[in-house]
Amino acid sequence: MEDTLQSLKERCTSCQRCALGATRTNIVFGVGSENADLMFVGEAPGEQEDLTGTPFVGRAGQLLDKFLFAVDIPREEVYIANILKCRPPKNRDPLPAEEDLCIEYLREQVRLIRPKMIVCLGRISAMRLIREDFKITKEHGTFFQKGNCLITAVYHPAALLRDPRKKEDMLRDMKRIKEKLDELKGQDAT
Ligand code: URA
């Protein structure tokens, strides 16, 4: 039987494919509109996300919210998920084997939601979804066409907390994302 987002979430909730299944408090499946035109994909849940089961609710998430607000993209209208659905201990980088085991859930989410645009939040997500050798410093804000979907990457909000000088680039990228999104929606209307 075909998955729905709800049945996929249920499968995910009982997932023990990798060792993170034993250490998580909650899976962090994804939140937002099931009909979202725009999808953000981060790396993996942090502590607050693990505790609440919701992506991007900690400090990095609050900064992401500020950028969404600044470019007039309501958070409820987008869908936000991660490459990994479970928190790696001490927020270490995801292991390639964990990504390999978890990515099917994200692919199924994308198939079900069918966004017009995917924005990778940070290097780890971009290296998985755009190109293995993606260079976030050079290539953030560049758009790539993949099938029916535009895909781009911006700095991870946690990187902006560590280096606030990057915020200027982030704002520029986010404005462009909003413009492109409006263009894509406009094409639909004609
Ligand atoms: N960082 C991520 O990559 N994802 C989250 O959900 C929170 C922080």
Side-chain angles (χ1 to χ4, degrees):
M1 213 176 59
E2 287 257 310
D3 262 315
T4 59
L5 279 175
Q6 188 53 37
S7 66
L8 186 65
K9 184 174 180 179
E10 280 158 22
R11 278 209 287 132
C12 212
T13 303
S14 56
C15 182
Q16 292 292 343
R17 288 181 188 176
C18 78
L20 300 182
T23 53
R24 70 171 175 240
T25 313
N26 290 294
I27 62 138
V28 179
F29 180 70
V31 280
S33 166
E34 302 196 355
N35 304 311
D37 289 324
L38 177 58
M39 187 161 171
F40 286 90
V41 179
E43 167 181 333
E47 185 181 20
Q48 291 308 310
E49 291 76 23
D50 174 67
L51 291 173
T52 56
T54 307
F56 284 97
V57 289
R59 279 183 70 218
Q62 287 161 23
L63 185 54
L64 175 63
D65 288 350
K66 284 190 185 164
F67 280 99
L68 289 174
F69 184 78
V71 300
D72 201 17
I73 298 178
R75 181 164 163 142
E76 328 72 75
E77 283 182 16
V78 305
Y79 193 87
I80 308 181
N82 283 303
I83 302 280
L84 291 195
K85 305 300 189 231
C86 296
R87 181 191 182 202
K90 299 187 185 148
N91 298 347
R92 64 155 168 74
D93 283 353
L95 302 175
E98 291 164 350
E99 290 187 12
D100 290 345
L101 289 167
C102 208
I103 198 79
E104 182 220 323
Y105 294 121
L106 180 68
R107 292 203 192 291
E108 196 57 29
Q109 283 172 301
V110 172
R111 252 195 303 276
L112 290 165
I113 295 165
R114 297 198 298 128
K116 293 183 185 356
M117 194 193 296
I118 295 178
V119 177
C120 302
L121 292 166
R123 157 187 85 85
I124 302 261
S125 168
M127 286 166 68
R128 191 74 208 199
L129 300 185
I130 300 179
R131 245 187 22 254
E132 215 176 318
D133 62 349
F134 190 88
K135 297 279 180 287
I136 192 81
T137 325
K138 272 198 190 152
E139 296 181 276
H140 66 85
T142 309
F143 288 87
F144 303 86
Q145 187 77 43
K146 282 212 170 184
N148 290 332
C149 192
L150 266 188
I151 184 160
T152 186
V154 296
Y155 285 119
H156 194 290
L160 306 176
L161 289 171
R162 287 192 296 271
D163 181 2
R165 288 170 305 178
K166 293 190 166 84
K167 285 184 183 176
E168 222 176 287
D169 280 349
M170 177 69 163
L171 186 59
R172 197 174 311 121
D173 291 347
M174 290 292 292
K175 283 182 177 163
R176 193 76 193 102
I177 285 163
K178 165 73 172 158
E179 279 169 17
K180 281 261 184 204
L181 189 67
D182 288 346
E183 277 170 36
L184 291 173
K185 287 185 186 175
Q187 283 166 15
D188 255 13
T190 52

